[in-house]
Amino acid sequence: MAQEKKNNKAQSPLLEVKGVEVAFFLRQGVARAINHIDLIINKGETLGIVGESGCGKSVTAAAIMRLIEEPGKILNGEILLEGVDLLKLSNREMRHIRGNSMAMIFQDPMSGLNPVLSIGKQMCETLILHKGMKKRQALERAEFMLREVGMPNPGDQLKRFPHELSGGMRQRVLIAMALSCEPKLLIADEPTTALDVTIQAQILELMRELQKKYDMAMLMITHDLGVIAEIADKVAVMYAGDVVEQTTVADLFDNPRHPYTKGLMKAIPTMEDKFSKEDRLYNIPGMVPTLLELPPGCRFQTRCPLATKECTLKNPDLLNHEGHLVRCIHA
Amino acid sequence: MSIILDVQNLKTHFPIRKGLLRKVVNHVRAVDGVSLQLHEKETLGLVGESGCGKSTVGRSILHLIPPTAGTVHFENQDLASLSASELRKKRVHMQMIFQNPLSSLNPRMTVEEIITGAPIFHGLVNKSDRRKFASKLMNTVGLNPKQLQRFPHEFSGGQRQRICIARALALSPKLLICDESVSALDVSIQAQILNLFKDLQEEFGMSYLFISHDMAVVRYISDRVAVMYLGRIVEIADKDSLFDNPKHPYTKALLSSIPATHPAHKTERRALQGDVPSPTTIYKGCPFMARCPEAKPHCGETPPVLESVGRDHMVSCFETVKTEKAAG
Ligand SMILES: Nc1ncnc2c1ncn2[C@@H]1O[C@H](COP(=O)(O)OP(=O)(O)OP(=O)(O)O)[C@@H](O)[C@H]1O
Ligand SMILES: Nc1ncnc2c1ncn2[C@@H]1O[C@H](COP(=O)(O)OP(=O)(O)OP(=O)(O)O)[C@@H](O)[C@H]1O
Ligand SMILES: [Mg+2]
Ligand SMILES: [Mg+2]
């Protein structure tokens, strides 16, 4: 049975990102924010994306939602949702997909909320627009969703405005909004960074539950490897616009192979460490290259402890080591 | 070491208005009697559930929101006694890095203008040195100085957060309130910034009030840690004693829900049960009572106060204090 289900899953990717490239055409030059990204998410599965700040995680999410704005452009590739290439749809068709099949929780909680509308109005708007609900029904659903994400007095919260809520509460509103339309794919960009550990535990639990209930797939962007450990099935590690490593969660934690991933693992402070005032954390030496001046060859070579002359010649391919993908000639 | 910040019985209540006349019908008691002291060269961590009032404490300390009651002394000066212009001058020495990087950055200013605006205004930097000064700060926070002419929306979330950090550091403040300041950063850059905070402290004796949801980060950076619940501090202690030997039932619950650091351990995590209570209620007794696994009927009669239960360890809980005292 389980075997059968697995096979089934393997045959039906919900989302396939193939060779997608995004660049921003700036006065100073062309910033290649993501460089040939390949990702597969199966039905009901969670793919985590981690990586250095500025490596292109949010841009990848925006590309999938087709929300890249001028001066940015999607240059190449295909984004297939259940076999349909989103890059070929009209704007109208895409708007329909965005509210119904896919929903996104944005990184900056304020940017996803309209400051002059009450929480209730905003939540109802999406439900009326995308689910064709009547106002009363939409209000009930909105209140139900706010309770689902752990907001105190959901009825009262509907009347409040975004600036009256704490950072974590705003994030919960956004999660409630995204889940209210029961999307097949939920893209969540740092959904729990603004939340405290207790609410974070509740929200992750809730997301897992709803995922099961609605057979929803998730793309979970986070820099928090703890969140990845909690919720993801597979992980992609990104660096400077490239996926540098991709495998199952357990494998990544037990057997990281790319030198960048190894560096990340080493930099995490843990609760078991007793730090004195003099102690300093490990951090990967050097700086992420800016997109306008990427080094030749492997993009990580300027900071890599294993780098050799060979690394400067060509950006290595993402090689498959028995299902564990790594972009490094020394791995 | 001398006390740089002394907060006594701070309260900040937000009015809730209703109806056409916007009549005040109730109050959100966001901060409801917080007292704390911060020494020179010291870091106090501030943790607690979302909505418990941490950001409001930070903003009220700087008088960015006028407190409803209580006093804040910075370098022995009562901030309430200062005029608006004196307060503005004082704020050079007390800076806050806000929780929401994008909305606290002016979208029409370049990064260079954002970073150098205040130091030039206060005469700390010459206009002609502007570029050099800003470049140095960009390097300090791990951003490339070549991006100084760009606008905030052209940066990623973590890059914006570092612009905010650079802006605060530009004034060389004596007190820095960090509100979730490393939460959007990947672990390697987070490590770099946390190390930077510690280095600055060692070199210049800066003090930090460090608000964060990440307990491991709080443990790394802090000397002491305060735990907040519904606008009040329920436990405050030396960091090792707080994390290794938490005493308040709320602190215990909070620490048990720390995320796993490995997928194999994920089942061990336990979420705190019960709804987050409403901050509009006035509690006769202990506000945590409804969710407390150790609550006794008498906990609802009078409000508990912070009491000492050991060296540099204070708790506001009747039952804990009783058992601790019995144990000697
Ligand atoms: N509108 C834009 N114009 C120019 N460059 C941009 C724009 N949006 C993003 N970028 C650049 O693209 C790169 C990738 O940005 P992205 O927001 O995807 O990073 P991220 O991986 O989400 O980082 P973080 O973890 O900090 O949120 C960054 O270097 C950023 O500066
Ligand atoms: N301007 C305001 N008007 C009304 N209520 C407010 C306002 N600002 C904050 N509040 C309320 O005060 C309480 C405390 O908010 P605060 O932002 O200080 O919480 P926090 O501890 O920083 O939470 P988080 O961890 O989510 O950032 C919340 O209930 C919030 O809704
Ligand atoms: Mg991002
Ligand atoms: Mg806050």
Side-chain angles (χ1 to χ4, degrees), chain A residues 223-266:
Chain A
H223 63 273
D224 187 337
L225 286 157
V227 170
I228 293 286
E230 291 274 331
I231 203 160
D233 302 306
K234 290 187 197 145
V235 204
V237 181
M238 284 183 71
Y239 184 80
D242 275 337
V243 171
V244 295
E245 180 158 10
Q246 189 172 340
T247 183
T248 63
V249 169
D251 195 29
L252 190 87
F253 276 85
D254 293 335
N255 184 23
R257 295 181 73 146
H258 195 283
Y260 172 63
T261 316
K262 288 184 187 168
L264 277 188
M265 298 280 184
K266 221 165 126 183

mmCIF file of all heavy atoms in Angstrom, chain A residues 223-266:
data_model
loop_
_atom_site.group_PDB
_atom_site.id
_atom_site.type_symbol
_atom_site.label_atom_id
_atom_site.label_comp_id
_atom_site.label_asym_id
_atom_site.label_seq_id
_atom_site.Cartn_x
_atom_site.Cartn_y
_atom_site.Cartn_z
ATOM 1 N N HIS A 223 15.507 30.067 6.335
ATOM 2 C CA HIS A 223 16.933 29.899 6.594
ATOM 3 C C HIS A 223 17.090 29.094 7.869
ATOM 4 O O HIS A 223 18.182 28.844 8.325
ATOM 5 C CB HIS A 223 17.597 31.266 6.751
ATOM 6 C CG HIS A 223 17.048 31.992 7.926
ATOM 7 N ND1 HIS A 223 15.919 32.767 7.834
ATOM 8 C CD2 HIS A 223 17.410 31.981 9.214
ATOM 9 C CE1 HIS A 223 15.645 33.224 9.032
ATOM 10 N NE2 HIS A 223 16.506 32.765 9.889
ATOM 11 N N ASP A 224 15.950 28.699 8.465
ATOM 12 C CA ASP A 224 15.970 28.016 9.751
ATOM 13 C C ASP A 224 15.996 26.508 9.520
ATOM 14 O O ASP A 224 14.985 25.899 9.170
ATOM 15 C CB ASP A 224 14.722 28.433 10.531
ATOM 16 C CG ASP A 224 14.755 27.907 11.952
ATOM 17 O OD1 ASP A 224 15.465 26.907 12.203
ATOM 18 O OD2 ASP A 224 14.066 28.489 12.800
ATOM 19 N N LEU A 225 17.155 25.918 9.742
ATOM 20 C CA LEU A 225 17.274 24.487 9.482
ATOM 21 C C LEU A 225 16.410 23.681 10.449
ATOM 22 O O LEU A 225 16.034 22.550 10.165
ATOM 23 C CB LEU A 225 18.745 24.061 9.546
ATOM 24 C CG LEU A 225 19.534 24.535 8.315
ATOM 25 C CD1 LEU A 225 21.020 24.629 8.616
ATOM 26 C CD2 LEU A 225 19.306 23.611 7.125
ATOM 27 N N GLY A 226 16.071 24.290 11.594
ATOM 28 C CA GLY A 226 15.166 23.632 12.532
ATOM 29 C C GLY A 226 13.785 23.455 11.918
ATOM 30 O O GLY A 226 13.148 22.402 12.060
ATOM 31 N N VAL A 227 13.307 24.479 11.226
ATOM 32 C CA VAL A 227 12.006 24.400 10.562
ATOM 33 C C VAL A 227 12.036 23.337 9.469
ATOM 34 O O VAL A 227 11.108 22.541 9.317
ATOM 35 C CB VAL A 227 11.604 25.768 9.974
ATOM 36 C CG1 VAL A 227 10.381 25.657 9.086
ATOM 37 C CG2 VAL A 227 11.352 26.764 11.093
ATOM 38 N N ILE A 228 13.140 23.309 8.725
ATOM 39 C CA ILE A 228 13.309 22.296 7.684
ATOM 40 C C ILE A 228 13.228 20.899 8.308
ATOM 41 O O ILE A 228 12.538 20.011 7.810
ATOM 42 C CB ILE A 228 14.679 22.482 6.982
ATOM 43 C CG1 ILE A 228 14.682 23.785 6.194
ATOM 44 C CG2 ILE A 228 15.009 21.295 6.096
ATOM 45 C CD1 ILE A 228 13.890 23.769 4.919
ATOM 46 N N ALA A 229 13.929 20.728 9.417
ATOM 47 C CA ALA A 229 13.937 19.426 10.083
ATOM 48 C C ALA A 229 12.520 19.021 10.481
ATOM 49 O O ALA A 229 12.152 17.851 10.431
ATOM 50 C CB ALA A 229 14.841 19.469 11.318
ATOM 51 N N GLU A 230 11.722 20.002 10.867
ATOM 52 C CA GLU A 230 10.373 19.725 11.333
ATOM 53 C C GLU A 230 9.428 19.321 10.209
ATOM 54 O O GLU A 230 8.553 18.497 10.375
ATOM 55 C CB GLU A 230 9.769 20.982 11.977
ATOM 56 C CG GLU A 230 10.400 21.391 13.271
ATOM 57 C CD GLU A 230 9.792 20.665 14.441
ATOM 58 O OE1 GLU A 230 8.605 20.295 14.376
ATOM 59 O OE2 GLU A 230 10.524 20.441 15.419
ATOM 60 N N ILE A 231 9.530 19.978 9.077
ATOM 61 C CA ILE A 231 8.405 19.933 8.151
ATOM 62 C C ILE A 231 8.719 19.416 6.750
ATOM 63 O O ILE A 231 7.835 18.922 6.058
ATOM 64 C CB ILE A 231 7.722 21.327 8.077
ATOM 65 C CG1 ILE A 231 6.282 21.161 7.605
ATOM 66 C CG2 ILE A 231 8.513 22.298 7.243
ATOM 67 C CD1 ILE A 231 5.409 22.318 7.943
ATOM 68 N N ALA A 232 9.973 19.502 6.314
ATOM 69 C CA ALA A 232 10.238 19.183 4.909
ATOM 70 C C ALA A 232 10.485 17.696 4.677
ATOM 71 O O ALA A 232 10.904 16.971 5.579
ATOM 72 C CB ALA A 232 11.435 19.994 4.420
ATOM 73 N N ASP A 233 10.171 17.242 3.465
ATOM 74 C CA ASP A 233 10.542 15.892 3.040
ATOM 75 C C ASP A 233 11.885 15.934 2.325
ATOM 76 O O ASP A 233 12.744 15.119 2.539
ATOM 77 C CB ASP A 233 9.488 15.330 2.078
ATOM 78 C CG ASP A 233 8.104 15.311 2.709
ATOM 79 O OD1 ASP A 233 7.981 14.737 3.800
ATOM 80 O OD2 ASP A 233 7.160 15.890 2.134
ATOM 81 N N LYS A 234 12.007 16.932 1.436
ATOM 82 C CA LYS A 234 13.257 17.105 0.701
ATOM 83 C C LYS A 234 13.751 18.530 0.878
ATOM 84 O O LYS A 234 12.977 19.422 1.209
ATOM 85 C CB LYS A 234 13.014 16.874 -0.789
ATOM 86 C CG LYS A 234 12.718 15.444 -1.131
ATOM 87 C CD LYS A 234 12.661 15.316 -2.645
ATOM 88 C CE LYS A 234 11.970 14.044 -3.056
ATOM 89 N NZ LYS A 234 11.192 14.258 -4.295
ATOM 90 N N VAL A 235 15.028 18.747 0.625
ATOM 91 C CA VAL A 235 15.598 20.093 0.752
ATOM 92 C C VAL A 235 16.473 20.425 -0.446
ATOM 93 O O VAL A 235 17.217 19.569 -0.920
ATOM 94 C CB VAL A 235 16.576 20.215 1.942
ATOM 95 C CG1 VAL A 235 16.678 21.649 2.386
ATOM 96 C CG2 VAL A 235 16.238 19.303 3.057
ATOM 97 N N ALA A 236 16.369 21.678 -0.887
ATOM 98 C CA ALA A 236 17.316 22.191 -1.868
ATOM 99 C C ALA A 236 18.113 23.292 -1.179
ATOM 100 O O ALA A 236 17.548 24.135 -0.501
ATOM 101 C CB ALA A 236 16.585 22.755 -3.083
ATOM 102 N N VAL A 237 19.437 23.263 -1.321
ATOM 103 C CA VAL A 237 20.283 24.308 -0.751
ATOM 104 C C VAL A 237 20.725 25.203 -1.899
ATOM 105 O O VAL A 237 21.208 24.712 -2.918
ATOM 106 C CB VAL A 237 21.524 23.702 -0.057
ATOM 107 C CG1 VAL A 237 22.377 24.805 0.552
ATOM 108 C CG2 VAL A 237 21.113 22.685 0.983
ATOM 109 N N MET A 238 20.518 26.509 -1.744
ATOM 110 C CA MET A 238 20.888 27.437 -2.816
ATOM 111 C C MET A 238 22.075 28.294 -2.414
ATOM 112 O O MET A 238 22.237 28.626 -1.249
ATOM 113 C CB MET A 238 19.713 28.360 -3.160
ATOM 114 C CG MET A 238 18.635 27.688 -3.987
ATOM 115 S SD MET A 238 17.316 28.854 -4.444
ATOM 116 C CE MET A 238 18.158 29.890 -5.635
ATOM 117 N N TYR A 239 22.883 28.642 -3.402
ATOM 118 C CA TYR A 239 23.970 29.599 -3.179
ATOM 119 C C TYR A 239 24.128 30.457 -4.430
ATOM 120 O O TYR A 239 24.279 29.918 -5.531
ATOM 121 C CB TYR A 239 25.284 28.879 -2.854
ATOM 122 C CG TYR A 239 26.396 29.837 -2.527
ATOM 123 C CD1 TYR A 239 26.485 30.396 -1.258
ATOM 124 C CD2 TYR A 239 27.309 30.231 -3.489
ATOM 125 C CE1 TYR A 239 27.466 31.316 -0.953
ATOM 126 C CE2 TYR A 239 28.300 31.157 -3.195
ATOM 127 C CZ TYR A 239 28.373 31.695 -1.927
ATOM 128 O OH TYR A 239 29.342 32.621 -1.617
ATOM 129 N N ALA A 240 24.075 31.764 -4.270
ATOM 130 C CA ALA A 240 24.271 32.721 -5.367
ATOM 131 C C ALA A 240 23.541 32.320 -6.653
ATOM 132 O O ALA A 240 24.132 32.290 -7.729
ATOM 133 C CB ALA A 240 25.757 32.924 -5.635
ATOM 134 N N GLY A 241 22.261 32.010 -6.533
ATOM 135 C CA GLY A 241 21.445 31.760 -7.718
ATOM 136 C C GLY A 241 21.492 30.343 -8.250
ATOM 137 O O GLY A 241 20.838 30.033 -9.240
ATOM 138 N N ASP A 242 22.263 29.466 -7.602
ATOM 139 C CA ASP A 242 22.338 28.066 -8.012
ATOM 140 C C ASP A 242 21.765 27.159 -6.931
ATOM 141 O O ASP A 242 21.919 27.445 -5.753
ATOM 142 C CB ASP A 242 23.809 27.643 -8.155
ATOM 143 C CG ASP A 242 24.387 27.992 -9.506
ATOM 144 O OD1 ASP A 242 23.603 28.150 -10.452
ATOM 145 O OD2 ASP A 242 25.621 28.109 -9.598
ATOM 146 N N VAL A 243 21.159 26.036 -7.350
ATOM 147 C CA VAL A 243 20.919 24.972 -6.382
ATOM 148 C C VAL A 243 22.243 24.221 -6.287
ATOM 149 O O VAL A 243 22.773 23.761 -7.291
ATOM 150 C CB VAL A 243 19.796 24.030 -6.860
ATOM 151 C CG1 VAL A 243 19.704 22.814 -5.948
ATOM 152 C CG2 VAL A 243 18.464 24.765 -6.876
ATOM 153 N N VAL A 244 22.825 24.125 -5.086
ATOM 154 C CA VAL A 244 24.118 23.452 -4.968
ATOM 155 C C VAL A 244 24.004 22.053 -4.382
ATOM 156 O O VAL A 244 24.924 21.246 -4.484
ATOM 157 C CB VAL A 244 25.151 24.272 -4.150
ATOM 158 C CG1 VAL A 244 25.494 25.569 -4.867
ATOM 159 C CG2 VAL A 244 24.651 24.540 -2.741
ATOM 160 N N GLU A 245 22.864 21.764 -3.739
ATOM 161 C CA GLU A 245 22.696 20.433 -3.161
ATOM 162 C C GLU A 245 21.212 20.173 -2.987
ATOM 163 O O GLU A 245 20.443 21.073 -2.673
ATOM 164 C CB GLU A 245 23.411 20.361 -1.800
ATOM 165 C CG GLU A 245 23.303 19.011 -1.109
ATOM 166 C CD GLU A 245 24.418 18.770 -0.080
ATOM 167 O OE1 GLU A 245 25.166 19.722 0.228
ATOM 168 O OE2 GLU A 245 24.530 17.633 0.408
ATOM 169 N N GLN A 246 20.802 18.916 -3.237
ATOM 170 C CA GLN A 246 19.384 18.596 -3.068
ATOM 171 C C GLN A 246 19.240 17.122 -2.705
ATOM 172 O O GLN A 246 19.785 16.245 -3.361
ATOM 173 C CB GLN A 246 18.635 18.893 -4.372
ATOM 174 C CG GLN A 246 17.136 18.809 -4.223
ATOM 175 C CD GLN A 246 16.415 19.308 -5.471
ATOM 176 O OE1 GLN A 246 16.988 20.037 -6.276
ATOM 177 N NE2 GLN A 246 15.184 18.904 -5.633
ATOM 178 N N THR A 247 18.509 16.869 -1.614
ATOM 179 C CA THR A 247 18.325 15.487 -1.177
ATOM 180 C C THR A 247 17.199 15.415 -0.144
ATOM 181 O O THR A 247 16.511 16.400 0.078
ATOM 182 C CB THR A 247 19.651 14.918 -0.608
ATOM 183 O OG1 THR A 247 19.452 13.550 -0.266
ATOM 184 C CG2 THR A 247 20.093 15.665 0.631
ATOM 185 N N THR A 248 17.027 14.238 0.480
ATOM 186 C CA THR A 248 16.002 14.137 1.523
ATOM 187 C C THR A 248 16.515 14.843 2.774
ATOM 188 O O THR A 248 17.714 15.038 2.947
ATOM 189 C CB THR A 248 15.718 12.675 1.891
ATOM 190 O OG1 THR A 248 16.914 12.118 2.423
ATOM 191 C CG2 THR A 248 15.253 11.873 0.696
ATOM 192 N N VAL A 249 15.580 15.195 3.654
ATOM 193 C CA VAL A 249 15.958 15.948 4.841
ATOM 194 C C VAL A 249 16.941 15.171 5.710
ATOM 195 O O VAL A 249 17.984 15.692 6.110
ATOM 196 C CB VAL A 249 14.706 16.307 5.666
ATOM 197 C CG1 VAL A 249 15.103 16.855 7.014
ATOM 198 C CG2 VAL A 249 13.889 17.327 4.923
ATOM 199 N N ALA A 250 16.623 13.914 5.990
ATOM 200 C CA ALA A 250 17.482 13.128 6.875
ATOM 201 C C ALA A 250 18.887 13.030 6.289
ATOM 202 O O ALA A 250 19.882 13.184 7.000
ATOM 203 C CB ALA A 250 16.885 11.739 7.076
ATOM 204 N N ASP A 251 18.955 12.814 4.989
ATOM 205 C CA ASP A 251 20.240 12.680 4.333
ATOM 206 C C ASP A 251 21.050 13.970 4.434
ATOM 207 O O ASP A 251 22.253 13.949 4.681
ATOM 208 C CB ASP A 251 20.005 12.295 2.860
ATOM 209 C CG ASP A 251 21.271 11.786 2.208
ATOM 210 O OD1 ASP A 251 22.115 11.224 2.935
ATOM 211 O OD2 ASP A 251 21.410 11.953 0.979
ATOM 212 N N LEU A 252 20.374 15.105 4.263
ATOM 213 C CA LEU A 252 21.092 16.377 4.321
ATOM 214 C C LEU A 252 21.702 16.603 5.707
ATOM 215 O O LEU A 252 22.824 17.072 5.836
ATOM 216 C CB LEU A 252 20.175 17.549 3.966
ATOM 217 C CG LEU A 252 20.962 18.851 3.781
ATOM 218 C CD1 LEU A 252 21.456 18.976 2.352
ATOM 219 C CD2 LEU A 252 20.154 20.068 4.167
ATOM 220 N N PHE A 253 20.934 16.260 6.738
ATOM 221 C CA PHE A 253 21.440 16.488 8.093
ATOM 222 C C PHE A 253 22.563 15.504 8.442
ATOM 223 O O PHE A 253 23.513 15.861 9.112
ATOM 224 C CB PHE A 253 20.308 16.373 9.116
ATOM 225 C CG PHE A 253 19.538 17.646 9.253
ATOM 226 C CD1 PHE A 253 18.497 17.952 8.388
ATOM 227 C CD2 PHE A 253 19.856 18.566 10.248
ATOM 228 C CE1 PHE A 253 17.783 19.136 8.513
ATOM 229 C CE2 PHE A 253 19.154 19.749 10.379
ATOM 230 C CZ PHE A 253 18.117 20.040 9.504
ATOM 231 N N ASP A 254 22.418 14.256 7.996
ATOM 232 C CA ASP A 254 23.400 13.244 8.380
ATOM 233 C C ASP A 254 24.617 13.242 7.478
ATOM 234 O O ASP A 254 25.689 12.822 7.880
ATOM 235 C CB ASP A 254 22.755 11.854 8.344
ATOM 236 C CG ASP A 254 21.700 11.716 9.428
ATOM 237 O OD1 ASP A 254 21.814 12.457 10.432
ATOM 238 O OD2 ASP A 254 20.764 10.911 9.270
ATOM 239 N N ASN A 255 24.418 13.711 6.257
ATOM 240 C CA ASN A 255 25.460 13.517 5.275
ATOM 241 C C ASN A 255 25.536 14.692 4.302
ATOM 242 O O ASN A 255 25.374 14.529 3.108
ATOM 243 C CB ASN A 255 25.113 12.193 4.542
ATOM 244 C CG ASN A 255 26.149 11.801 3.541
ATOM 245 O OD1 ASN A 255 27.305 12.218 3.633
ATOM 246 N ND2 ASN A 255 25.735 11.022 2.549
ATOM 247 N N PRO A 256 25.753 15.917 4.836
ATOM 248 C CA PRO A 256 25.852 17.063 3.918
ATOM 249 C C PRO A 256 27.109 16.898 3.079
ATOM 250 O O PRO A 256 28.142 16.474 3.596
ATOM 251 C CB PRO A 256 25.970 18.258 4.869
ATOM 252 C CG PRO A 256 26.513 17.711 6.141
ATOM 253 C CD PRO A 256 26.023 16.292 6.230
ATOM 254 N N ARG A 257 27.038 17.194 1.782
ATOM 255 C CA ARG A 257 28.196 16.933 0.932
ATOM 256 C C ARG A 257 28.816 18.182 0.337
ATOM 257 O O ARG A 257 29.996 18.212 0.055
ATOM 258 C CB ARG A 257 27.795 15.975 -0.199
ATOM 259 C CG ARG A 257 27.407 14.630 0.351
ATOM 260 C CD ARG A 257 27.031 13.688 -0.747
ATOM 261 N NE ARG A 257 28.190 13.237 -1.500
ATOM 262 C CZ ARG A 257 28.278 12.021 -2.026
ATOM 263 N NH1 ARG A 257 27.303 11.160 -1.859
ATOM 264 N NH2 ARG A 257 29.327 11.681 -2.713
ATOM 265 N N HIS A 258 28.003 19.218 0.139
ATOM 266 C CA HIS A 258 28.585 20.433 -0.445
ATOM 267 C C HIS A 258 29.284 21.235 0.657
ATOM 268 O O HIS A 258 28.742 21.370 1.744
ATOM 269 C CB HIS A 258 27.485 21.270 -1.104
ATOM 270 C CG HIS A 258 28.027 22.323 -2.031
ATOM 271 N ND1 HIS A 258 28.576 23.495 -1.567
ATOM 272 C CD2 HIS A 258 28.131 22.353 -3.381
ATOM 273 C CE1 HIS A 258 28.981 24.223 -2.611
ATOM 274 N NE2 HIS A 258 28.724 23.543 -3.718
ATOM 275 N N PRO A 259 30.484 21.760 0.365
ATOM 276 C CA PRO A 259 31.203 22.512 1.401
ATOM 277 C C PRO A 259 30.387 23.689 1.953
ATOM 278 O O PRO A 259 30.519 24.038 3.132
ATOM 279 C CB PRO A 259 32.454 23.021 0.687
ATOM 280 C CG PRO A 259 32.498 22.377 -0.646
ATOM 281 C CD PRO A 259 31.246 21.626 -0.886
ATOM 282 N N TYR A 260 29.521 24.288 1.135
ATOM 283 C CA TYR A 260 28.694 25.386 1.644
ATOM 284 C C TYR A 260 27.695 24.878 2.679
ATOM 285 O O TYR A 260 27.531 25.472 3.748
ATOM 286 C CB TYR A 260 27.967 26.092 0.483
ATOM 287 C CG TYR A 260 26.964 27.101 0.979
ATOM 288 C CD1 TYR A 260 27.390 28.206 1.710
ATOM 289 C CD2 TYR A 260 25.600 26.939 0.760
ATOM 290 C CE1 TYR A 260 26.485 29.121 2.201
ATOM 291 C CE2 TYR A 260 24.687 27.850 1.240
ATOM 292 C CZ TYR A 260 25.139 28.939 1.968
ATOM 293 O OH TYR A 260 24.236 29.828 2.464
ATOM 294 N N THR A 261 27.036 23.772 2.372
ATOM 295 C CA THR A 261 26.080 23.196 3.322
ATOM 296 C C THR A 261 26.784 22.837 4.631
ATOM 297 O O THR A 261 26.265 23.087 5.722
ATOM 298 C CB THR A 261 25.435 21.921 2.734
ATOM 299 O OG1 THR A 261 25.076 22.161 1.382
ATOM 300 C CG2 THR A 261 24.219 21.517 3.526
ATOM 301 N N LYS A 262 27.977 22.263 4.504
ATOM 302 C CA LYS A 262 28.731 21.901 5.710
ATOM 303 C C LYS A 262 29.020 23.135 6.560
ATOM 304 O O LYS A 262 28.913 23.091 7.784
ATOM 305 C CB LYS A 262 30.040 21.217 5.327
ATOM 306 C CG LYS A 262 29.832 19.816 4.784
ATOM 307 C CD LYS A 262 31.169 19.155 4.518
ATOM 308 C CE LYS A 262 30.957 17.824 3.818
ATOM 309 N NZ LYS A 262 32.209 17.280 3.290
ATOM 310 N N GLY A 263 29.369 24.244 5.887
ATOM 311 C CA GLY A 263 29.629 25.492 6.594
ATOM 312 C C GLY A 263 28.396 25.984 7.325
ATOM 313 O O GLY A 263 28.458 26.408 8.480
ATOM 314 N N LEU A 264 27.251 25.910 6.664
ATOM 315 C CA LEU A 264 25.992 26.344 7.286
ATOM 316 C C LEU A 264 25.724 25.547 8.555
ATOM 317 O O LEU A 264 25.371 26.098 9.593
ATOM 318 C CB LEU A 264 24.815 26.101 6.330
ATOM 319 C CG LEU A 264 24.509 27.119 5.254
ATOM 320 C CD1 LEU A 264 23.199 26.767 4.568
ATOM 321 C CD2 LEU A 264 24.414 28.527 5.841
ATOM 322 N N MET A 265 25.862 24.243 8.466
ATOM 323 C CA MET A 265 25.590 23.370 9.608
ATOM 324 C C MET A 265 26.470 23.740 10.803
ATOM 325 O O MET A 265 26.047 23.690 11.948
ATOM 326 C CB MET A 265 25.863 21.902 9.243
ATOM 327 C CG MET A 265 24.986 21.375 8.130
ATOM 328 S SD MET A 265 23.376 20.945 8.801
ATOM 329 C CE MET A 265 22.579 20.257 7.379
ATOM 330 N N LYS A 266 27.706 24.121 10.485
ATOM 331 C CA LYS A 266 28.655 24.436 11.542
ATOM 332 C C LYS A 266 28.336 25.765 12.229
ATOM 333 O O LYS A 266 28.738 25.999 13.363
ATOM 334 C CB LYS A 266 30.052 24.519 10.905
ATOM 335 C CG LYS A 266 31.146 23.889 11.719
ATOM 336 C CD LYS A 266 32.365 23.710 10.854
ATOM 337 C CE LYS A 266 33.574 24.350 11.491
ATOM 338 N NZ LYS A 266 34.754 24.248 10.629
#
